Each structure stands twice: as structure tokens, then as C-alpha cells.
């Protein structure tokens, strides 16, 4: 019995184990002291082996990569264009208030005793028992499966938007060479999922290296995004062809404007202006846009799931998770402000939805 067992079972059994320990070294029938089991030192040695990952590589980087989802690259303009800057900031405040409750709970559990492999399942099962931990662990597993599908589809969408060949037989640019279509998207997504599977099967070493490489790429892309707001001159954007509008409605615009940093553009993007999303045909509202945006605030448990591979999980999990949450909150709000200052509403909504 150790402190790694569920707290309720641990406390109920402590007195029994203490009374039993006094009789462990009593002489046996032949007068010799009982020898400890040979499995005991091996078990202790296994628990004492040094782990590999630090706070930055084991918690900060996985959490940042999980929270910087497709929202930051594909849907920030959609959120700002539909909700306006005021409601966008309000959405982020509400979303981060919700996840902060989970973060504080994780910090309390992770600093309340020794941690072992198992991540969120281990912490919940240790605090509430294996029954609660098992049921929540199943839901957490299903959430990760759906999240992986979302990230893969977002990557496929971004790749095809840049390198996909135009539909209808039109001639595209030099780099627009990838075939497009539903089954082509399924094929690209399946290849990416197979690559992720191979990385997971190899082990934690290649996972840490792969996440660090992806982290460097994401940071470089984010840097280019921020630089582009200052480097790109104001110009008119040709929007992709849209489906025909419903009856008794005006035709959708075919162009939008990138104005650069202008006060008039910011004033025009402060208030909400919900419209019909041409990809789904649904009228947007605060709730529907919040559902799209909230995906970018999830992923806070990615660092906790590495508990078995951290040098000091009780130290690394709370500090690394809080650091990642604060960093993403700042990036999301700054990026929303820059979009509201430099893109008119049409370019923000249509170009990224």
C-alpha cells in the first residue's frame, strides 16, 4: 500500500498496514527472520528511475500545440467577423474562465501527492477511486479521438486551400497541383493519421522530438502571421465563388478589402453582425460561434497526460499548464485585435469560413 493508491482506500488501509508491518520482521517457526520478497526492491527501483522530460518539453509544448488548434489559423477571422471585437473578447473570457476551473483542479490534485503514469485517469482515480477514474477516462479517450479527427481535417483543409488544384478544370498556379474532392480528402487524412499512429507506436522519445519540431513550425508560422499584418500593403481580395443565395436575398460579395491598420476598420468591427454561413446555410449566433471558438481553448490536459514521463510531475504539471494557458490567451486576443484593425468584416468572415 502506498500513497499512489486511491486516497479513500489509502486512508482506510493505513492503520491495517501499520499494524501488519510490526509483524513482518518477526522470527519464523525456525527462528529465522522473514526475508522480503525479491519483487519488492525491483518495484522500488522502477519507481525511482529518473524520468526524461522537463516542464517545457513535457507540459508546455504539448499543451500549446493542443490549444493552438485549427481555430487560430482558420477561424479567428470568422469569429471576429461574426461577433465583433467586443463579443470575441467576451467569448475568450468566458471560455478561459471555464477551463481555468479545470486547470486549478488539476493543479490541486497534482500537488497533493505522488503522481505516476496515466495522466488525467490516474489523478481522478487516485482522488475519487478507480470507478470514477475509469468512466471519466473512457470519455477523455473518446474526446481525444474526436479531437484528433478535427485537427487532421483542419490540416487537410489548409493544405488543399493552398496547394489544391482548382475545381472545374480551371488552370491554377504553379503550386496548385493536389487533386481535390471528398475521397481525396479522406485519403490525405488517412495518411496523416497513419503517420500519427507510427509516432505514437515508436514511443515517448520520438514523440517529444516530433512535438518540439512541430512547436518550432507553429511558432514560425505565428510569427509570419503577425509580421504579415505590417508587411502586406492594403489591397483588394478576390473571394472564392460562393453557392447561389437563397430566394429574396442579395448576392454575396465577390471582393473584400485588407485595409491595413486603420481606425475606421476597427470601429466597423467592434459590434456583432451575425450573418448566414454559406458553408452550412445556418444563421450564426453567439452560441454557434462560441461552439466553433471554444475548440481553440481545449487541450489543457495534454501536459497532464505526460505525467509518467516527467522528471517531477507534481512540479511540472501546474506550472507548465498555467504558462501555456496564459500564453494562448494573450495570443488569441492580440490576433483578434489585429484582425479587427486591418480586415473589413467581409474579408474576416468569408476568407476564413
Amino acid at each position: 500500500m502506498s500513497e499512489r493508491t486511491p486516497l479513500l482506500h489509502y486512508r482506510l488501509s493505513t492503520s491495517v498496514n501499520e499494524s501488519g508491518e510490526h509483524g513482518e520482521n518477526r522470527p519464523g517457526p525456525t527462528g529465522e527472520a522473514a526475508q522480503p520478497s525479491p519483487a519488492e526492491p525491483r518495484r522500488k527501483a522502477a519507481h525511482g528511475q529518473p524520468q526524461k522530460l522537463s516542464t517545457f518539453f513535457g507540459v508546455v509544448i504539448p499543451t500549446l500545440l493542443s490549444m493552438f488548434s485549427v481555430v487560430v489559423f482558420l477561424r479567428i477571422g470568422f469569429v471576429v467577423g461574426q461577433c465583433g471585437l467586443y463579443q470575441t473578447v467576451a467569448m475568450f473570457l468566458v471560455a478561459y474562465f471555464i477551463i481555468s476551473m479545470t486547470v486549478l483542479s488539476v493543479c490541486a490534485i497534482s500537488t497533493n501527492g505522488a503522481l505516476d503514469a496515466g495522466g488525467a485517469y490516474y489523478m481522478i482515480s487516485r482522488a475519487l477511486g478507480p470507478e470514477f477514474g475509469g468512466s471519466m477516462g473512457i470519455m477523455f479517450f473518446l474526446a481525444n479521438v474526436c479531437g484528433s479527427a478535427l485537427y487532421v481535417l483542419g490540416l487537410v483543409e489548409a493544405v488543399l486551400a493552398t496547394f489544391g488544384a482548382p475545381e472545374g478544370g480551371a488552370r491554377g498556379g504553379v503550386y496548385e497541383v493536389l487533386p481535390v474532392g471528398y475521397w481525396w480528402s479522406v485519403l490525405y487524412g488517412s495518411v496523416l493519421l497513419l503517420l500519427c499512429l507510427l509516432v505514437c507506436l515508436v514511443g515517448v522519445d520520438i514523440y517529444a522530438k516530433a512535438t518540439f519540431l512541430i512547436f518550432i513550425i507553429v511558432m514560425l508560422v505565428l510569427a509570419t502571421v503577425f509580421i504579415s499584418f505590417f508587411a502586406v500593403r492594403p489591397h483588394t481580395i478576390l473571394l472564392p465563388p460562393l453557392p447561389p443565395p437563397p430566394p429574396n436575398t442579395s448576392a454575396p460579395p465577390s471582393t473584400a478589402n485588407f485595409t491595413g491598420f486603420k481606425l475606421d476598420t476597427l470601429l466597423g468591427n467592434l459590434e456583432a453582425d451575425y450573418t448566414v454561413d454559406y458553408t452550412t446555410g445556418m444563421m450564426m449566433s453567439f452560441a454557434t460561434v462560441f461552439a466553433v471558438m471554444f475548440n481553440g481553448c481545449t487541450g489543457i490536459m495534454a501536459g497532464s497526460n505526460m505525467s509518467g514521463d516527467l522528471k517531477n510531475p507534481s512540479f511540472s504539471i501546474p506550472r507548465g499548464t498555467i504558462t501555456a494557458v496564459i500564453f494562448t490567451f494573450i495570443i488569441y486576443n492580440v490576433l483578434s485585435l489585429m484582425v479587427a484593425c486591418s480586415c473589413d468584416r467581409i474579408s474576416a468572415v468569408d476568407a476564413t469560413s
Side-chain angles (χ1 to χ4, degrees):
M1 182 63 59
S2 69
E3 67 173 351
R4 287 187 169 84
T5 55
L7 291 180
L8 181 61
H9 186 248
Y10 171 73
R11 295 184 184 279
L12 292 177
S13 305
T14 300
S15 58
V16 178
N17 289 339
E18 288 178 353
S19 61
E21 288 174 357
H22 294 293
E24 287 182 356
N25 296 326
R26 291 180 181 177
T30 59
E32 296 179 356
Q35 298 295 328
S37 172
E40 186 68 23
R42 288 199 301 267
R43 192 159 51 244
K44 292 182 178 179
H47 287 305
Q49 289 180 354
Q51 304 299 332
K52 301 178 181 179
L53 300 179
S54 62
T55 302
F56 182 74
F57 287 96
V59 181
V60 176
I61 289 182
T63 306
L64 283 178
L65 293 180
S66 298
M67 298 187 72
F68 279 148
S69 63
V70 296
V71 173
V72 70
F73 298 107
L74 299 179
R75 295 297 183 263
I76 282 291
F78 169 79
V79 175
V80 175
Q82 293 283 355
C83 299
L85 184 61
Y86 288 154
Q87 291 193 16
T88 299
V89 175
M91 283 185 179
F92 282 119
L93 291 176
V94 172
Y96 274 84
F97 175 77
I98 294 173
I99 67 173
S100 64
M101 299 298 100
T102 305
V103 171
L104 293 178
S105 300
V106 170
C107 295
I109 296 176
S110 62
T111 56
N112 196 31
L115 290 178
D116 208 339
Y121 163 75
Y122 178 83
M123 290 187 288
I124 295 173
S125 62
R126 181 181 177 274
L128 301 177
E131 295 82 4
F132 288 95
S135 59
M136 294 182 183
I138 293 175
M139 298 302 297
F140 191 65
F141 165 76
L142 295 176
N144 282 332
V145 171
C146 297
S148 300
L150 175 67
Y151 301 148
V152 169
L153 291 177
L155 177 58
V156 171
E157 178 183 340
V159 170
L160 292 181
T162 305
F163 302 102
E167 297 182 1
R171 184 175 182 180
V174 179
Y175 301 103
E176 297 176 347
V177 295
L178 292 179
V180 297
Y182 175 79
W183 291 111
W184 284 108
S185 299
V186 172
L187 176 61
Y188 301 147
S190 301
V191 173
L192 291 174
L193 282 176
L194 179 61
L195 179 62
C196 295
L197 175 63
L198 294 177
V199 171
C200 295
L201 290 178
V202 171
V204 67
D205 293 334
I206 191 173
Y207 172 78
K209 296 177 182 178
T211 54
F212 181 70
L213 176 61
I214 298 174
F215 172 76
I216 295 298
I217 296 174
V218 170
M219 290 299 104
L220 290 176
V221 172
L222 280 177
T224 58
V225 169
F226 284 107
I227 293 173
S228 66
F229 284 103
F230 301 93
V232 177
R233 296 181 178 181
H235 63 282
T236 301
I237 303 171
L238 182 63
L239 298 178
L242 304 179
N248 301 326
T249 58
S250 58
S254 58
T255 60
N257 295 314
F258 175 79
T259 63
F261 291 97
K262 288 187 177 181
L263 180 60
D264 293 338
T265 305
L266 175 62
L267 295 177
N269 289 325
L270 292 179
E271 303 293 338
D273 185 16
Y274 295 106
T275 60
V276 176
D277 181 23
Y278 70 85
T279 59
T280 60
M282 297 175 55
M283 183 66 184
M284 294 291 101
S285 63
F286 185 91
T288 54
V289 178
F290 183 82
V292 174
M293 184 277 301
F294 189 75
N295 171 72
C297 303
T298 58
I300 57 175
M301 302 300 294
S304 303
N305 291 337
M306 303 293 294
S307 59
D309 302 299
L310 298 173
K311 294 179 181 178
N312 189 355
S314 298
F315 175 88
S316 299
I317 289 176
R319 288 163 177 78
T321 304
I322 293 175
T323 300
V325 168
I326 295 175
F327 182 78
T328 55
F329 179 77
I330 295 174
I331 292 297
Y332 276 128
N333 282 276
V334 172
L335 189 58
S336 300
L337 176 62
M338 298 181 77
V339 170
C341 291
S342 58
C343 301
D344 64 11
R345 192 173 295 273
I346 296 176
S347 63
V349 175
D350 292 332
T352 57
S353 62

